[in-house]
């Protein structure tokens, strides 16, 4: 059974870069896409993008200019960076196994952007 | 992007009620739809994938139906543990998109 554990800075200032990492434990890291999803407080879910172990990436066009995803297969980890953050990027960020339906999910990280 | 519209946004129901939530896609997504349950402060949990396939471990009172643009999630007999927010997600066309969520409250 796969489990995901994520970490990263929870408080940022406007214009800084958000950086989160997710470690995968359990089942195979290969043959899957690994995804990032965010949820602003009190709002719905937004798919940020996904990456697989070969480095193939799909980004949400709405964030593509500011997002960078990477993968470290030796550590079974994947990461996301979001540049030039603003208050609108304040959200709980989740890592998860994706490629379609999303399961399982990490515990979530609340990232707050202050001005 | 494909827009996913859920209705209602909030639903008040009692234990034992039959509950139906609707999700409509702005264009055909065939059967590439998932339903999630989310409780406060927790990550979503997948209930149903490919529109009607019940995920392992999910109670049989949950069911999904539909194809193309119109989908439903039905809870046949609402239980105390089912009070939560439900989200639909399409994974037919990038970027994957979610509905705005339906909160099921205690009546």
């Amino acid at each position: 059974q796969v489990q995901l554990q994520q970490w990263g800075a929870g408080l940022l200032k406007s214009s800084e870069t958000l950086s989160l990492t997710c470690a995968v434990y359990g089942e195979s890291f290969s043959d899957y896409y690994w995804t990032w999803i965010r949820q602003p407080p009190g709002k719905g879910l937004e798919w940020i993008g996904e990456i697989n172990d070969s480095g193939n990436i799909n980004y949400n066009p709405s964030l593509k200019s500011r997002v960078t995803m990477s993968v470290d297969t030796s550590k079974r980890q994947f990461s996301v960076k979001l540049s030039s953050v603003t208050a609108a990027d304040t959200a709980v960020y989740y890592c998860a196994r994706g490629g379609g339906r999303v399961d399982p999910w990490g515990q979530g990280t609340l990232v707050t952007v202050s001005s | 992007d494909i827009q996913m519209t859920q209705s209602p946004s909030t639903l008040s129901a009692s234990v034992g009620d039959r509950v139906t939530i609707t999700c409509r896609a702005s264009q055909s997504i065939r059967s590439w739809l998932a339903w999630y349950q989310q409780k406060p402060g927790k990550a979503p949990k997948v209930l149903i994938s490919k529109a009607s396939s019940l995920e392992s471990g999910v109670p049989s009172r949950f069911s999904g139906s539909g194809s193309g643009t119109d989908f439903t999630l039905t809870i046949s007999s609402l239980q105390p543990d089912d009070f939560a927010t439900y989200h639909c997600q399409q994974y037919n066309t990038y970027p994957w998109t979610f509905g705005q969520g339906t909160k099921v409250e205690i009546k």
Side-chain angles (χ1 to χ4, degrees), chain B residues 20-21 23 33 35 48 50-53 63-67 70-74:
Chain B
T20 298
I21 299 169
C23 181
L33 183 104
W35 288 99
I48 288 169
K50 211 170 179 185
S52 60
S53 296
S63 63
S65 64
S67 66
D70 295 318
F71 302 86
T72 58
L73 171 70
T74 300

Side-chain angles (χ1 to χ4, degrees), chain A:
Chain A
Q1 184 175 352
V2 63
Q3 293 185 323
L4 289 80
Q5 185 170 2
Q6 59 184 98
W7 64 90
L11 182 60
L12 297 174
K13 296 181 179 179
S14 291
S15 79
E16 293 184 332
T17 296
L18 176 158
S19 180
L20 299 170
T21 298
C22 185
V24 179
Y25 302 96
E27 295 178 7
S28 174
F29 187 74
S30 302
D31 302 324
Y32 291 103
Y33 272 90
W34 302 96
T35 191
W36 291 95
I37 290 166
R38 70 180 183 178
Q39 185 173 35
K43 297 188 178 181
L45 299 159
E46 180 179 30
W47 182 80
I48 299 171
E50 62 185 14
I51 186 169
N52 70 2
D53 63 301
S54 298
N56 296 313
I57 297 172
N58 296 296
Y59 289 140
N60 191 324
S62 68
L63 297 169
K64 188 174 183 177
S65 64
R66 298 194 291 131
V67 174
T68 302
M69 290 186 182
S70 60
V71 64
D72 186 335
T73 55
S74 65
K75 293 182 178 179
R76 296 166 60 94
Q77 296 176 0
F78 61 105
S79 300
V80 64
K81 293 184 186 296
L82 181 67
S83 64
S84 305
V85 296
T86 69
D89 295 310
T90 293
V92 175
Y93 288 75
Y94 294 100
C95 65
R97 186 172 63 183
R101 101 204 208 297
V102 181
D103 178 70
W105 299 58
Q107 78 274 21
T109 300
L110 173 61
V111 177
T112 302
V113 180
S114 67
S115 54

